[in-house]
Amino acid sequence: MVSIEDYGKFETAWCPGCGNFGILKAIKQALVNLGRSPHEVFIASGIGQSSKLPHYLKCNAFNGLHGRSLPPATGAKIANHEMTVLAVTGDGDCYGEGGNHFLHTVRRNPDITMIVHDNQIYGLTKGQASPTSEIGMKTKVQTHGVFNMPLNPLSLAISLDCSFVSRGYAGNISHLSKLIEKAIEHKGLSLVDVLQPCVSFNKLNTFKWYSERVYEMNESGYELNDRVRAFEKSLEWGDKIPLGVFYVNEKPSFEDYLDVLVQGPLYKNTPKTELVEELIDGFI
Amino acid sequence: MNIDLNLKIGGAAGQGLQTTGMALAKTLKKSGFHVFATQYYLSRVRGGHNTFQIRISDSPVFAMTETVDILLALDGESITQHMSELKEGVVVVDSDVIDVKENADSIFHVPMLKIAKDVCGDKIYSNSVSMGAVIGLLCLELSNLEFILKAAFKKKGDGVIQNNIDAARAGYNYVKENYPGGCKFEVSDPGKKEEMMLVNGNEAVGLGALAAGVQFLAAYPMTPSTGVMTYVAANADKFNVVVEQAEDEIAALNMILGASFAGARSMTTTSGGGFSLMTEALGLASITETPAVIFLCQRPGPATGLPTMTEQGDLQFVLNAAQGEFPRCILAPGTPEECFYLTTEAFNIADKYQIPVFVMSDQYLADSLFTCPRFDTSKVLVERHLLSDQELRTKKEEYKRYKLTPLGISPRALPGQEGVLVVADSDEHDEFGHINEDPVNRIKMNDKRMKKLEVLREEMPEAKVYGSSDASISLMGWGSTYGSLAEVVDILNDGGKSVNLVYFTHIHPIPVEPTKKLLAKAKKTVCVENNSTGQFSRLLKVDADINVTEHILRYDGKPFSPEFIIAALKEKGVI
């Protein structure tokens, strides 16, 4: 039996009260509930406060470059598809610096769970606007207030026909951990966009602000594969902010197209180097 | 060298130059000749003026020369541009199709279009008529061309094969009946039937990667590197390789780092512009000590530069790419054989030292066809340097991915192996891989990484010497200039000079003392490079404190010919 203790206890570099703690707790709980041992788990992360997360629990980890959590996660999944692969990233990391990888990883659809700590601000560089910052938010850089249209990660993902699209909230750990469980269990790319208050720099989207607005979706007749409905729901933002699974599209994952993986993980394959002789014959 | 003939095919892109050239190159190789073929093309799919050149000899040839014996002109531009390259040669042209302004004895009209229509009822067979004509002018038997055409059109069915053969025969017969004396050059079949390959540089790198057991290749297509990607992709199913076309070069290198970290032998292929995007991930490969093989096929820059031309302009960039100080290894093949063997070596070095390793080629080597001895796969060793499950089970202490060791190389386990957790970080980290900003730790980790460079330096073989070891003039070169330089050595020594070639395939880190020794006897050292600043001599100066006395540099987008080098040596008063 795997327990929370197996995932260890670490000192962190996060601010007291940070939303990241809730996400960390939810991830650990989800992995324990699914019975995943630390050595079966691989987390790739980018750069940002969010991306330090793999250092704060026991698992295999590749904490790489800013915006680049998805390509190494994809590579690792291809090399060893038996691992549970998570990409832990932030709104700046994933939707800004790594926007292109986000688009194309959705298209590629590897069986990876993306957990985006979406605090609508750049925390590590001390408070500049992020791609999801609200219009009008003033910062030391956006001195006249943000006027670039905020990116809506859920609408974007649904428009790309992402395999699993969901939103959680760092202030509701039990809901979030269930969501992460579902996302990990889903085969294909799963997006968990997590509303995460930044207690140091985002004075607008606070715990209080979110708690007054978020609600768990529980609508009867909402078919999870209804893309148009999901898109409509993803546009809901303001006084009421929905949480939960927005869209599920069961489709083959990237690995399903790789016939070579049927016989086991790629890294364990003994390469058929002897066949090079046949190729050489073709040049004679 | 008793036989030394050059055939140049000129025409616009889309006229079938490559098909005609390849079929002729294969035919001549099958006839027992040593063949060297190279292409000059522009960055466009149709039109422009391109050439495909084939040189044949009874001795090994690795370079192009600048004179032409048979010019097969598929457009008027070919005659205008290349007539002056002919000495005693012949221009084969269909004057019914091309308006030939020049009036010279060397122009020989072959009504290729008419023959194709008369014999096969379709003008598309005129290329085969031209091939037959060329074989006729060389007084060779037609059977080898027939064999090649059969193989080339196998998928298109017997009718198409027969039409091509008939067309070739008609072209051949036309020459026999109409060319004064029946043919132009009597180059009897040299009769050498040893097992030779006809292969280009990119195919040889692809073969090397497959022989080394590559498991994952991610790349973004970019001329002139794409050939390696497509070659591996074409054989991926057979060899159990996963090939992924990444969204950009940033993703490509990051993706192979993820795969390599998780245990798959991985490589990426690119050219300078793409590599510019990879520089960030290059540093990541180094600080995370993740093996990576990067095939970098150079073309002239900066920015988009000359996409289809050649240059050795990226060496200093590759040496210094990415922020900070860290070890890397650079190998530079000069022949297809070296493309093959050095690629396999690159994987072993990457795995052993856990560093990024470059195989640096260029457009000239990538696209040129060479005859060479069959690659010997028994010489290829696949060395992974990984901890086995068994070794991990018997370990006494908790696994440290970055364990400090005397050689700087840490034992490597993989994520997913039971009993270990493997953590890598782009931040400076401790032995476990966790972020650590302590100054003492920083020094230890930096020293650990740099130590690998010095250990590797000891292992790097010294340069090869072509010619006498105590010549008074040493030509020096690296990578693709090998063929032309070796030929220059032969020509000059035949003319009574004392010249050798000190030629580098292992570019960085360079073994210092052995290199100094190799050059100690030369009174003059001349470094020949396809760039404008002498990048390799700068490396020699910085890495080994070696001063080169003369430089011959070319950076017009074209490769060196032996004639070019000899003329430059004369101009500089070296000879």
Side-chain angles (χ1 to χ4, degrees):
Chain A
M1 276 291 283
V2 187
S3 70
I4 289 279
E5 287 69 42
D6 293 336
Y7 278 93
K9 231 180 150 78
F10 296 82
E11 263 185 49
T12 76
W14 291 331
C15 308
C18 176
N20 285 334
F21 289 105
I23 301 175
L24 175 61
K25 215 168 171 183
I27 291 176
K28 280 190 195 177
Q29 191 60 56
L31 291 169
V32 169
N33 289 352
L34 292 170
R36 299 289 204 284
S37 297
H39 83 270
E40 298 172 307
V41 177
F42 178 94
I43 303 186
S45 65
I47 297 297
Q49 293 295 9
S50 59
S51 295
K52 291 176 181 169
L53 183 138
H55 289 289
Y56 306 147
L57 80 166
K58 285 194 169 175
C59 67
N60 297 291
F62 191 87
N63 181 189
L65 298 169
H66 191 33
R68 320 280 174 231
S69 65
L70 289 169
T74 305
K77 187 74 189 179
I78 293 167
N80 184 357
H81 68 288
E82 288 178 349
M83 296 191 295
T84 297
V85 177
L86 274 57
V88 175
T89 167
D91 46 327
D93 195 52
C94 187
Y95 306 136
E97 193 89 27
N100 199 31
H101 306 311
F102 174 59
L103 299 184
H104 294 279
T105 308
V106 172
R107 290 182 52 230
R108 203 172 270 128
N109 197 34
D111 185 15
I112 291 171
T113 301
M114 288 171 63
I115 298 170
V116 187
H117 300 217
D118 189 351
N119 59 12
Q120 297 156 277
I121 196 93
Y122 281 7
L124 193 60
T125 52
K126 305 196 172 170
Q128 301 78 24
S130 92
T132 53
S133 293
E134 300 206 16
I135 287 184
M137 179 194 267
K138 283 196 174 180
T139 79
K140 283 182 192 164
V141 175
Q142 287 73 28
T143 53
H144 299 291
V146 168
F147 46 78
N148 289 352
M149 191 66 196
L151 182 146
N152 181 332
L154 303 186
S155 307
L156 178 58
I158 294 163
S159 78
L160 292 165
D161 211 5
C162 182
S163 195
F164 181 103
V165 181
S166 68
R167 179 192 282 140
Y169 170 45
N172 187 346
I173 297 169
S174 61
H175 177 262
L176 179 59
S177 87
K178 285 277 166 255
L179 208 57
I180 293 172
E181 258 182 69
K182 281 184 199 160
I184 291 173
E185 282 197 301
H186 176 82
K187 200 183 73 165
L189 189 76
S190 312
L191 169 65
V192 186
D193 186 72
V194 188
L195 303 174
Q196 178 233 335
C198 172
V199 293
S200 297
F201 298 107
N202 189 336
K203 303 299 181 194
L204 181 65
N205 311 105
T206 59
F207 273 107
K208 184 170 176 291
W209 189 89
Y210 281 122
S211 296
E212 285 167 355
R213 289 168 172 79
V214 294
Y215 73 96
E216 289 175 33
M217 284 193 286
N218 191 16
E219 292 168 38
S220 60
Y222 186 136
E223 295 289 338
L224 285 175
N225 62 357
D226 183 342
R227 195 162 164 210
V228 174
R229 180 83 183 85
F231 191 80
E232 204 180 323
K233 198 74 195 163
S234 74
L235 297 175
E236 194 178 314
W237 181 271
D239 291 343
K240 304 277 277 173
I241 300 175
L243 301 178
V245 182
F246 284 64
Y247 181 59
V248 176
N249 168 24
E250 303 282 352
K251 57 179 174 178
S253 72
F254 182 69
E255 301 87 81
D256 286 336
Y257 292 102
L258 307 175
D259 294 342
V260 50
L261 303 188
V262 174
Q263 53 196 307
L266 185 69
Y267 84 99
K268 281 190 181 167
N269 256 332
T270 309
K272 296 182 180 173
T273 51
E274 70 282 0
L275 295 177
V276 172
E277 289 295 334
E278 280 176 31
L279 295 183
I280 292 175
D281 286 341
F283 290 95
I284 300 288
Chain B
M1 200 181 284
N2 297 315
I3 301 168
D4 186 6
L5 279 175
N6 279 297
L7 162 68
K8 188 177 233 170
I9 310 164
Q15 280 194 296
L17 263 81
Q18 214 194 349
T19 317
T20 306
M22 279 301 296
L24 281 171
K26 285 182 180 173
T27 302
L28 293 163
K29 183 241 159 197
K30 195 166 167 51
S31 301
F33 296 100
H34 291 270
V35 175
F36 177 86
T38 192
Q39 299 181 57
Y40 175 86
Y41 59 102
L42 302 172
S43 183
R44 51 192 290 179
V45 177
R46 300 257 170 226
H49 178 69
N50 298 350
T51 64
F52 191 107
Q53 262 176 286
I54 306 170
R55 183 180 180 196
I56 59 169
S57 175
D58 50 343
S59 309
V61 275
F62 292 106
M64 213 58 246
T65 63
E66 293 186 6
T67 56
V68 173
D69 298 294
I70 297 176
L71 175 64
L72 175 56
L74 302 181
D75 63 2
E77 191 67 18
S78 301
I79 305 178
T80 317
Q81 284 201 22
H82 307 297
M83 192 77 175
S84 60
E85 295 163 15
L86 249 66
K87 277 201 292 195
E88 310 248 306
V90 56
V91 183
V92 180
V93 63
D94 186 344
S95 311
D96 300 339
V97 179
I98 296 160
D99 181 22
V100 181
K101 295 179 191 77
E102 292 79 358
N103 183 15
D105 291 345
S106 55
I107 290 178
F108 174 50
H109 165 63
V110 179
M112 300 177 226
L113 187 73
K114 186 175 181 299
I115 294 174
K117 279 185 179 166
D118 289 351
V119 177
C120 311
D122 195 332
K123 64 179 182 181
I124 62 163
Y125 295 100
S126 46
N127 280 343
S128 290
V129 177
S130 74
M131 293 181 216
V134 169
I135 297 300
L137 286 169
L138 294 169
C139 304
L140 292 167
E141 292 293 320
L142 198 64
S143 54
N144 287 323
L145 176 59
E146 288 179 355
F147 180 90
I148 295 299
L149 290 172
K150 264 183 209 162
F153 295 104
K154 203 173 156 189
K155 282 187 187 153
K156 300 217 167 164
D158 291 344
V160 173
I161 292 176
Q162 197 53 51
N163 278 344
N164 277 290
I165 290 176
D166 291 345
R169 184 172 298 281
Y172 184 84
N173 290 339
Y174 183 87
V175 168
K176 291 284 177 197
E177 285 154 24
N178 295 282
Y179 195 81
C183 67
K184 171 73 183 174
F185 300 100
E186 194 153 353
V187 284
S188 54
D189 185 329
K192 282 187 198 156
K193 298 293 179 212
E194 61 188 290
E195 270 203 324
M196 297 287 277
M197 295 171 70
L198 181 67
V199 63
N200 74 32
N202 272 356
E203 290 162 340
V205 169
L207 280 169
L210 293 170
V214 66
Q215 291 167 314
F216 181 57
L217 184 153
Y220 188 88
M222 184 169 182
T223 305
S225 68
T226 319
V228 172
M229 182 191 190
T230 46
Y231 189 77
V232 175
N235 295 290
D237 292 346
K238 205 171 174 181
F239 282 78
N240 288 340
V241 184
V242 174
V243 175
E244 177 60 3
Q245 182 177 318
E247 56 270 28
D248 54 32
E249 287 86 350
I250 298 171
L253 186 50
N254 277 285
M255 215 182 268
I256 76 155
L257 292 182
S260 176
F261 180 70
R265 262 206 157 177
S266 304
M267 84 182 291
T268 187
T269 62
T270 193
S271 183
F275 178 62
S276 297
L277 294 181
M278 289 180 184
T279 53
E280 184 197 31
L282 179 73
L284 180 65
S286 184
I287 199 165
T288 61
E289 304 189 35
T290 306
V293 173
I294 301 166
F295 171 69
L296 192 149
C297 201
Q298 299 165 94
R299 70 190 212 189
T304 311
L306 295 168
T308 60
M309 310 279 159
T310 202
E311 195 165 279
Q312 297 178 304
D314 297 343
L315 178 58
Q316 289 292 335
F317 174 44
V318 170
L319 275 166
N320 297 302
Q323 70 271 31
E325 301 163 301
F326 59 86
R328 66 198 85 193
C329 174
I330 306 173
L331 309 177
T335 63
E337 280 174 278
E338 287 168 357
C339 285
F340 179 77
Y341 295 114
L342 290 183
T343 300
T344 65
E345 196 180 334
F347 280 96
N348 289 342
I349 295 173
D351 270 343
K352 180 174 178 186
Y353 290 93
Q354 303 164 21
I355 56 170
V357 180
F358 292 86
V359 177
M360 279 185 85
S361 178
D362 54 39
Q363 183 272 329
Y364 176 62
L365 177 60
D367 291 336
S368 295
L369 283 163
F370 304 66
T371 39
C372 64
R374 187 186 176 100
F375 301 154
D376 183 357
T377 54
S378 72
K379 285 187 190 161
V380 176
L381 300 174
V382 175
E383 297 164 341
R384 294 302 319 266
H385 304 278
L386 292 168
L387 283 169
S388 66
D389 290 339
Q390 176 61 27
E391 284 169 301
L392 286 173
R393 268 194 290 275
T394 53
K395 72 184 166 50
K396 291 186 186 71
E397 56 174 12
E398 196 179 347
Y399 176 70
K400 293 172 174 169
R401 173 68 191 88
Y402 303 103
K403 189 181 165 70
L404 295 166
T405 64
L407 301 182
I409 301 166
S410 312
R412 188 168 158 231
L414 301 176
Q417 277 185 297
E418 206 167 343
V420 288
L421 292 177
V422 191
V423 176
D425 201 286
S426 61
D427 278 78
E428 192 56 274
H429 44 254
D430 61 19
E431 287 182 274
F432 288 101
H434 288 296
I435 299 172
N436 186 326
E437 295 173 308
D438 172 62
V440 176
N441 175 71
R442 160 66 178 182
I443 292 171
K444 279 185 187 162
M445 283 296 160
N446 206 62
D447 288 351
K448 163 193 159 55
R449 292 189 291 268
M450 295 311 284
K451 174 75 186 166
K452 295 195 279 188
L453 189 70
E454 294 319 309
V455 180
L456 173 60
R457 194 187 294 277
E458 298 297 309
E459 199 187 288
M460 292 286 269
E462 60 187 44
K464 291 174 193 143
V465 177
Y466 182 84
S468 158
S469 63
D470 54 3
S472 62
I473 302 169
S474 278
L475 302 178
M476 298 156 69
W478 62 284
S480 74
T481 54
Y482 169 76
S484 300
L485 284 167
E487 189 163 337
V488 168
V489 169
D490 287 342
I491 294 168
L492 294 180
N493 286 340
D494 284 351
K497 310 275 187 207
S498 167
V499 183
N500 70 9
L501 168 63
V502 180
Y503 159 68
F504 296 79
T505 49
H506 292 69
I507 300 296
H508 176 76
I510 233 160
V512 178
E513 289 313 316
T515 308
K516 282 186 172 167
K517 228 175 189 175
L518 284 176
L519 293 163
K521 284 181 185 159
K523 292 187 185 72
K524 285 178 185 169
T525 48
V526 188
C527 196
V528 181
E529 295 184 64
N530 251 161
N531 58 52
S532 76
T533 54
Q535 297 192 20
F536 182 66
S537 354
R538 226 187 310 162
L539 182 154
L540 283 176
K541 176 68 190 158
V542 172
D543 240 24
D545 196 25
I546 289 168
N547 286 305
V548 174
T549 48
E550 284 289 353
H551 293 90
I552 294 177
L553 305 169
R554 181 171 198 179
Y555 49 95
D556 58 359
K558 293 183 179 178
F560 284 104
S561 62
E563 293 98 316
F564 184 101
I565 298 168
I566 290 171
L569 286 169
K570 283 182 181 157
E571 196 187 313
K572 289 180 183 294
V574 177
I575 55 167

